[in-house]
Amino acid sequence: MGTTVKKHRFNAVDAAIIIVIAVIIVAAVMFFSMGGTETINQTVKIEYVVEFRTIRNEFADNFAVGEGVVDSVAKYHLGEVIDYAVEPAIYNGNDFSAGALVSSVHPEHSNVRLSVAAEATVGADGRYVLDGGYDISVGTTMYVRLPNYTGVGYCTELSETEGQS
C-alpha cells in the first residue's frame, strides 16, 4: 500500500481568506486605537448646585462657605462651597377627601441647595470631568462629604463660569 502525498497548491480561495483576515485585523486595530484615546480639550471653571432634599433641620446649618466638597465613595475632590441656601421642605400629596393634590411644609425637615465652584476638564465629547475622573452633569446623583455633613444629593444646575487654555 502506497501512500501518496498531495501537494497543496495556493489558489484563489486561500488568497480571499487571507485578505479577509487581514482586513479584520486592520479594522480591529483601528477601532481599538481610536476608541480608547479620548483627548481632554480644555480646563474650565464651573459652578454647580447640589440639592439635598428633606434633611432634618438639625443638620441644615452644618454647611459653611469655603468648605471642601469630597465624593464620599471614590474620594474625588469636587470643589469648594461658595454659597448655600436652606429652604423649607415641601411635601406634595393627595387629599383623598377633596380629590386634589396638596402641598404642605414638611415638619422638621429642610431642603438645602449647595453652590459649589470647581475646576473641570472638558472631554472631547463635551463632558465635564472633576478631579481627573468624576463625570458631572445635571441629574447626577452625588454622594458628598463635607466636614460636618455627609449625604446624597442631586446636581440640579451646572454652568461654566470662565475658561482657561
Side-chain angles (χ1 to χ4, degrees), residues 8-26:
H8 181 64
R9 293 188 179 192
F10 189 76
N11 59 27
V13 174
D14 295 329
I17 291 173
I18 290 173
I19 290 172
V20 168
I21 291 172
V23 167
I24 290 172
I25 290 171
V26 168

Side-chain angles (χ1 to χ4, degrees), residues 94-107:
N94 292 317
D95 180 358
F96 292 110
S97 62
L101 180 65
V102 295
S103 296
S104 61
V105 174
H106 197 292

Side-chain angles (χ1 to χ4, degrees), residues 77-149:
H77 178 70
L78 303 179
E80 184 176 298
V81 177
I82 57 172
D83 192 20
Y84 72 97
V86 178
E87 304 164 346
I90 304 297
Y91 171 75
N92 294 318
N94 292 317
D95 180 358
F96 292 110
S97 62
L101 180 65
V102 295
S103 296
S104 61
V105 174
H106 197 292
E108 300 176 5
H109 288 78
S110 298
N111 293 340
V112 176
R113 295 174 50 83
L114 192 69
S115 298
V116 181
E119 283 194 0
T121 51
V122 181
D125 57 356
R127 293 179 300 124
Y128 291 107
V129 180
L130 300 174
D131 199 18
Y134 189 92
D135 291 339
I136 186 169
S137 62
V138 172
T140 300
T141 302
M142 302 183 75
Y143 301 91
V144 299
R145 184 178 67 209
L146 294 109
N148 296 314
Y149 183 77

